[in-house]
C-alpha cells in the first residue's frame, strides 16, 4: 500500500502515504517535549488572572530562594534583551496593535498574559517557583464587547494607541451606494463567528541550545563573564 | 523536596522498579523516567486524551493518574501495542485512510479505538464517534479516523468468522 516517491512518476489522483506516517503510528514521532537536551532547563510562567489589571507590585524573592530555581525574571528584566513586537499586517493599511513584550510591564491587558518567568532544573520546580511569585493586582475595567469598544465611555486598553480600534476595512466595488439605492431589496445582516485561530493540541515550541559567542567554551566564558560582572552572551541555536 | 517512593510495575511487558516523587503523574513517569515519549501531554487535565494508556487492561488518562497509583499494575503504552502487533491492522487502516496528520493525538486515538473494538467489535459510526469524543484531534478531523476504525472492525469481524 505504501507508495514510494519515484522521479518522473505522476502522483496526481493517487493516494500517497506520507513517509513519517509509520513512526507516528508507532508512537515514535518526535515532538518538542520529547526532546531532552543535556543540562536542559525548564520555564514556567506567572500569568495574569485578570483581563485587565495594573501590576501594583511583584516580588519573585520566594521563587529565587527555591533550590533548583535558576532565574526568576519579570518584564523589566526582559526589556533590555527583547524589544517585543507589534503584530500588524502590512496589507491591512492603518492596522494598529500594541507592543507585545515577552513579559508584561506595569499592567496586563489580557487574561493569561505572562508577567514573570521562572527557570528551573525541572518543570515541577519551575512551577513551584511560579506559586511563590507574589503579584499584587489592581484590576481595571475589562473590555470584552467589540460592539461597545469604541464608545467614549469604554476605557482605552492601550492608551498609546489612542483608542480601541485595531483597523477598519471597507470593501466596496463600483458605485455601491447607487447599487443599494436602486436595488429592489436591501438585506442588512450582522455576522458573528467564533475565534478563527486554530490551536494545536501539542504545545508549540522549540527546544533551544545556547551557544556561547566568543573565543572560549561555555564554562570558561561564563566564569570569565562572572569575573567581569557582566552576563555571558549567548545566541540561540536549533537543537539538536 | 518530598521523599520518593518505590514502585514496581510492568510496563509493556517489562517488570521494573523505580523511585518516584509522589506528585509525579503516570504520563510524566512514562515519558521522562522510562523515555516512552509516545504517550503525549496535551492538556494535563484529562480533556484531550493524548496521554491515553492502558492500565490493567482498561484505558486511562495517564495525566490524571499518579505514578504511585500504578504500583503493582500492568501498564501498556502505544510503544507496547505497536511492538506486539496488537494494533497493526488499526495502524495500517489509519495510514491508508490518512487518519492522522501531525500525529500528536494518534497514540491516544489508537489506544481508544482498540479499547472500543475489544468491547464492541462491530461498533457503528455513532458508537465510534462517541468513543473518540474524549480524544482531541486538531488537524485531520475525525472522519478519516472513523472510516479507519470501521475498516478495521469489518476486517476483524470477517477474519474471525
Amino acid at each position: 500500500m505504501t507508495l514510494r516517491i519515484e522521479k518522473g512518476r505522476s502522483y496526481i489522483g493517487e493516494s500517497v502515504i506520507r513517509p513519517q506516517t509509520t513512526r507516528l503510528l508507532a508512537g515514535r514521532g518526535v515532538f518538542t517535549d520529547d526532546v531532552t537536551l543535556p543540562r536542559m532547563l525548564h520555564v514556567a510562567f506567572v500569568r495574569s488572572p485578570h483581563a485587565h489589571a495594573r501590576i501594583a507590585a511583584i516580588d519573585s524573592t520566594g521563587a529565587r530562594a527555591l533550590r533548583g530555581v535558576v532565574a526568576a525574571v519579570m518584564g523589566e528584566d526582559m526589556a533590555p534583551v527583547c524589544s517585543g513586537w507589534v503584530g500588524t499586517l502590512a496589507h491591512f493599511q492603518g492596522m494598529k496593535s500594541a507592543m507585545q513584550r515577552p513579559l508584561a510591564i506595569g499592567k496586563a491587558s489580557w487574561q493569561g498574559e505572562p508577567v514573570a518567568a521562572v527557570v528551573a532544573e525541572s518543570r515541577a520546580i519551575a512551577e513551584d517557583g511560579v506559586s511563590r511569585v507574589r503579584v499584587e493586582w489592581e484590576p481595571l475595567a475589562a473590555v470584552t464587547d467589540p460592539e461597545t469598544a469604541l464608545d467614549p465611555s469604554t476605557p482605552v486598553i492601550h492608551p498609546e494607541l489612542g483608542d480601541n480600534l485595531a483597523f477598519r476595512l471597507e470593501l466596496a466595488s463600483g458605485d455601491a451606494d447607487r447599487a443599494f439605492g436602486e436595488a429592489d431589496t436591501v438585506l442588512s445582516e450582522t455576522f458573528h463567528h467564533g475565534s478563527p485561530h486554530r490551536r494545536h493540541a501539542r504545545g508549540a515550541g522549540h527546544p533551544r541550545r545556547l551557544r556561547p559567542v566568543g573565543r572560549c567554551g561555555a564554562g570558561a566564558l561564563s566564569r570569565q563573564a562572572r569575573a567581569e560582572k557582566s552576563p555571558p552572551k549567548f545566541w540561540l541555536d536549533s537543537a539538536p | 523536596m518530598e521523599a520518593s517512593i518505590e514502585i514496581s510495575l510492568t510496563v509493556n511487558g517489562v517488570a521494573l522498579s523505580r523511585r518516584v516523587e509522589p506528585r509525579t503523574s503516570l504520563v510524566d513517569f512514562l515519558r521522562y523516567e522510562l523515555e516512552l515519549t509516545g504517550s503525549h501531554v496535551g492538556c494535563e487535565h484529562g480533556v484531550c486524551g493524548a496521554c491515553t494508556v492502558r492500565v490493567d487492561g482498561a484505558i486511562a488518562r495517564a495525566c490524571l493518574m499518579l505514578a504511585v497509583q500504578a504500583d503493582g499494575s500492568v501498564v501498556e503504552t502505544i510503544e507496547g501495542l505497536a511492538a506486539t502487533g496488537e494494533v497493526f491492522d488499526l495502524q495500517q487502516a489509519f495510514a491508508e485512510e490518512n487518519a492522522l496528520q501531525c500525529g500528536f493525538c494518534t497514540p491516544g486515538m489508537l489506544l481508544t479505538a482498540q479499547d472500543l473494538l475489544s468491547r464492541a467489535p462491530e461498533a457503528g459510526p455513532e458508537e465510534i464517534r462517541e468513543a473518540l469524543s474524549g480524544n482531541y484531534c486538531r488537524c485531520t478531523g475525525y472522519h478519516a479516523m472513523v472510516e479507519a476504525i470501521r475498516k478495521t472492525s469489518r476486517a476483524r469481524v470477517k477474519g474471525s468468522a
Side-chain angles (χ1 to χ4, degrees):
Chain A
M1 194 70 196
T2 307
L3 232 156
R4 297 222 174 271
I5 306 290
E6 291 157 23
K7 205 178 173 185
R9 182 173 164 188
S10 171
Y11 295 93
I12 293 169
E14 291 199 57
S15 185
V16 181
I17 293 175
R18 293 171 304 137
Q20 67 269 42
T21 299
T22 309
R23 63 177 170 80
L24 291 174
L25 282 162
R28 290 177 182 275
V30 180
F31 297 89
T32 306
D33 194 34
D34 300 339
V35 177
T36 303
L37 296 174
R39 288 166 282 112
M40 191 162 82
L41 298 173
H42 299 257
V43 63
F45 297 94
V46 178
R47 295 174 182 279
S48 170
H50 305 286
H52 193 200
R54 206 176 78 79
I55 304 165
I58 183 163
D59 179 14
S60 62
T61 317
R64 284 172 211 267
L66 203 62
R67 203 167 78 174
V69 167
V70 174
V73 294
M74 293 171 285
E76 286 85 355
D77 304 317
M78 289 304 288
V81 290
C82 184
S83 56
W85 75 300
V86 176
T88 52
L89 297 165
H91 60 277
F92 287 150
Q93 287 233 326
M95 184 177 183
K96 57 187 199 280
S97 182
M99 166 78 75
Q100 290 187 51
R101 299 175 197 280
L103 298 170
I105 299 174
K107 73 165 193 169
S109 350
W110 45 278
Q111 188 185 19
E113 181 167 5
V115 298
V118 179
V119 182
E121 287 166 12
S122 74
R123 191 162 58 89
I125 298 173
E127 286 173 13
D128 286 346
V130 160
S131 68
R132 288 170 185 230
V133 175
R134 297 273 163 261
V135 188
E136 221 176 279
W137 295 103
E138 275 175 16
L140 302 167
V143 177
T144 55
D145 184 356
E147 299 212 11
T148 56
L150 297 176
D151 292 354
S153 57
T154 303
V156 175
I157 297 295
H158 302 288
E160 69 276 20
L161 299 182
D163 56 32
N164 288 329
L165 184 68
F167 80 103
R168 194 187 169 86
L169 178 66
E170 254 186 67
L171 292 171
S173 175
D175 192 346
D177 291 334
R178 201 179 128 196
F180 277 121
E182 290 175 356
D184 294 330
T185 312
V186 175
L187 274 175
S188 172
E189 189 59 87
T190 304
F191 296 93
H192 296 269
H193 62 80
S195 166
H197 287 272
R198 169 175 168 269
R199 288 285 176 257
H200 300 287
R202 62 187 193 277
H206 197 154
R208 292 287 179 157
R209 182 178 275 173
L210 292 169
R211 194 188 270 187
V213 180
R215 17 175 224 290
C216 41
L221 181 74
S222 57
R223 272 197 301 278
Q224 180 196 339
R226 268 201 299 275
E228 291 170 359
K229 288 197 163 54
S230 66
K233 286 187 170 60
F234 291 98
W235 62 292
L236 296 170
D237 185 26
S238 296
Chain B
M1 204 43 59
E2 300 144 300
S4 61
I5 292 172
E6 176 152 333
I7 57 168
S8 299
L9 64 166
T10 302
V11 179
N12 296 334
V14 179
L16 49 91
S17 295
R18 288 287 189 285
R19 295 201 72 88
V20 295
E21 264 188 58
R23 66 174 171 180
T24 306
S25 67
L26 177 60
V27 71
D28 280 355
F29 172 74
L30 293 169
R31 289 175 50 78
Y32 305 125
E33 186 64 36
L34 305 184
E35 297 179 339
L36 293 167
T37 54
S39 307
H40 298 139
V41 181
C43 71
E44 275 195 307
H45 58 258
V47 176
C48 79
C51 66
T52 306
V53 297
R54 209 155 60 186
V55 180
D56 295 329
I59 52 169
R61 311 251 140 157
C63 76
L64 291 186
M65 198 170 161
L66 296 169
V68 292
Q69 289 176 291
D71 185 28
S73 292
V74 172
V75 177
E76 292 159 290
T77 70
I78 182 61
E79 289 93 340
L81 267 63
T84 60
E86 181 184 333
V87 291
F88 180 75
D89 52 352
L90 256 178
Q91 293 168 308
Q92 192 72 13
F94 265 60
E96 288 165 7
E97 296 298 321
N98 196 32
L100 67 148
Q101 191 176 311
C102 85
F104 189 83
C105 71
T106 309
M109 292 290 180
L110 291 171
L111 269 282
T112 304
Q114 179 66 0
D115 178 66
L116 171 72
L117 293 182
S118 67
R119 289 183 287 108
E122 293 181 66
E126 282 307 306
E127 232 176 321
I128 296 172
R129 284 181 185 277
E130 179 63 28
L132 296 185
S133 66
N135 291 63
Y136 279 11
C137 165
R138 302 281 82 159
C139 2
T140 328
Y142 303 89
H143 187 77
M145 296 182 206
V146 174
E147 287 306 306
I149 296 166
R150 290 187 71 191
K151 192 175 185 175
T152 309
S153 154
R154 281 194 294 266
R156 284 186 187 178
V157 169
K158 201 175 157 192
S160 64

